[in-house]
């Protein structure tokens, strides 16, 4: 659930490179640019996975304390439609994402993980409804990944969600029984600032915050602070910033 189309090339990439130990400043300027251009989808996919894992932990911990609960299976979904068309060949080459939405990550111990869903799986259908149909009927301006997650969130209590997935060319089907807990989602946005903020429903985390937080527990501390604002009914949580 992230706004990538606006930025194209991730603004927080240099921070992300530094975070994993790559030192772009040690390279010639053009070489550094080429490295960044080639690896940013991999770095962004890693960041999406990290945020997804933290989101799963926090939503479970918050449980029924949140004003709204929703079914959740513990996946982060991604779709090339959220990116500039010029980036599609690179997305296909680096993270193997083509015309179908893809599973960007699966939270360890989540229903999707236990059922056998894996990162990289292409999403063909949910509960017998093709991904194309879900995409076509989504509200204007809604990101494809959000539309698919909303489909899961509307699942009736105790009802399994059937995933039709393609993995390495083979079509597989998995029945996943969601858990119902806090409906707040973590939204990743590309920005160098070290920031987290919330509205009445969700929490936004900058890529700068991901680069700054040395552990997932530190990231969870900032995100959990903002989820507390949602639980408390604040119209807008006080931003957690480090300058």
């Amino acid at each position: 659930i992230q706004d990538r189309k606006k930025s194209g090339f991730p603004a927080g990439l240099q921070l992300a490179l530094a975070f994993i130990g790559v030192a772009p400043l040690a390279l010639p300027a053009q070489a550094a640019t080429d490295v960044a251009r080639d690896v940013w989808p991999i770095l962004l996919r890693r960041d999406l996975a990290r945020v997804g894992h933290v989101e799963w932990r926090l939503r479970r911990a918050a449980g029924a304390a949140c004003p709204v609960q929703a079914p959740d299976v513990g996946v982060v979904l991604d779709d090339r439609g959220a990116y500039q068309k010029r980036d599609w060949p690179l997305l296909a080459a680096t993270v193997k994402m083509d015309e179908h939405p893809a599973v960007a990550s699966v939270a360890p111990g989540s229903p999707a993980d236990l059922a056998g869903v894996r990162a990289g799986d292409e999403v063909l259908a949910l509960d017998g409804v093709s991904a194309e149909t879900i995409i076509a009927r989504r509200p204007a301006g809604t990101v494809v990944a959000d539309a698919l997650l909303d489909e899961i969130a509307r699942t009736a209590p105790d009802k399994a969600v059937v995933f039709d997935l393609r993995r390495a060319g083979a079509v597989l089907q998995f029945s996943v029984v969601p858990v119902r807990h806090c409906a707040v989602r973590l939204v990743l946005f590309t920005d160098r600032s070290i920031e987290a903020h919330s509205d009445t429903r969700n929490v936004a985390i900058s890529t700068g915050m991901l680069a700054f937080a040395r552990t997932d527990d530190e990231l969870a501390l900032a995100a959990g602070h903002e989820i507390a604002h949602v639980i408390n009914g604040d119209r807008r949580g006080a931003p957690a910033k480090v300058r």
Side-chain angles (χ1 to χ4, degrees):
I1 340 170
Q2 55 289 121
D3 185 3
R4 293 150 301 208
K5 182 172 286 186
K6 291 181 181 178
S7 56
F9 193 85
L13 184 57
Q14 293 298 319
L15 285 171
L17 286 170
F19 177 75
I20 64 170
V22 177
L25 294 180
L27 299 172
Q30 185 58 48
T33 301
D34 291 342
V35 169
R37 184 180 298 113
D38 289 343
V39 304
W40 72 257
I42 297 172
L43 298 177
L44 184 58
R45 182 61 62 87
R46 182 210 59 188
D47 285 347
L48 290 174
R50 188 180 178 199
V51 170
H53 296 172
V54 169
E55 177 188 276
W56 170 257
R57 291 167 53 197
L58 290 175
R59 290 180 69 177
R60 289 206 69 183
C66 285
V68 179
Q69 289 80 51
D72 182 20
V73 298
V75 297
V76 173
L77 302 175
D78 202 4
D79 180 77
R80 70 179 186 178
Y83 302 81
Q84 299 287 346
K85 283 190 176 181
R86 66 172 180 265
D87 294 328
W88 289 5
L90 180 59
L91 292 167
T94 54
V95 294
K96 311 303 180 186
M97 185 165 62
D98 215 323
E99 70 269 21
H100 288 98
V103 177
S105 76
V106 181
S110 66
D113 180 38
L114 298 177
V117 177
R118 295 293 176 258
D121 289 346
E122 296 177 88
V123 181
L124 305 181
L126 294 175
D127 278 341
V129 181
S130 70
E132 290 81 2
T133 299
I134 296 171
I135 292 168
R137 71 188 186 194
R138 76 189 190 279
T142 303
V143 177
V144 169
D146 285 356
L148 295 170
L149 290 174
D150 288 343
E151 195 79 10
I152 295 170
R154 286 191 289 267
T155 304
D158 301 321
K159 180 183 179 297
V161 178
V162 178
F163 283 74
D164 288 322
L165 306 172
R166 184 159 56 206
R167 181 186 301 166
V171 176
L172 307 172
Q173 192 172 83
F174 298 92
S175 181
V176 185
V177 180
V179 298
R180 188 174 181 83
H181 56 200
C182 181
V184 175
R185 294 177 185 168
L186 302 189
V187 181
L188 177 64
F189 67 98
T190 53
D191 194 280
R192 291 177 181 272
S193 64
I194 302 170
E195 181 177 353
H197 59 265
S198 55
D199 57 18
T200 58
R201 298 184 304 155
N202 297 314
V203 172
I205 302 288
S206 70
T207 48
M209 177 66 82
L210 263 70
F212 177 79
R214 292 170 296 180
T215 67
D216 285 355
D217 287 344
E218 291 184 355
L219 180 61
L221 179 64
H225 169 91
E226 296 303 323
I227 289 177
H229 281 297
V230 178
I231 293 173
N232 197 46
D234 299 335
R235 179 172 177 79
R236 181 175 179 83
K241 293 186 178 182
V242 180
R243 296 242 182 236

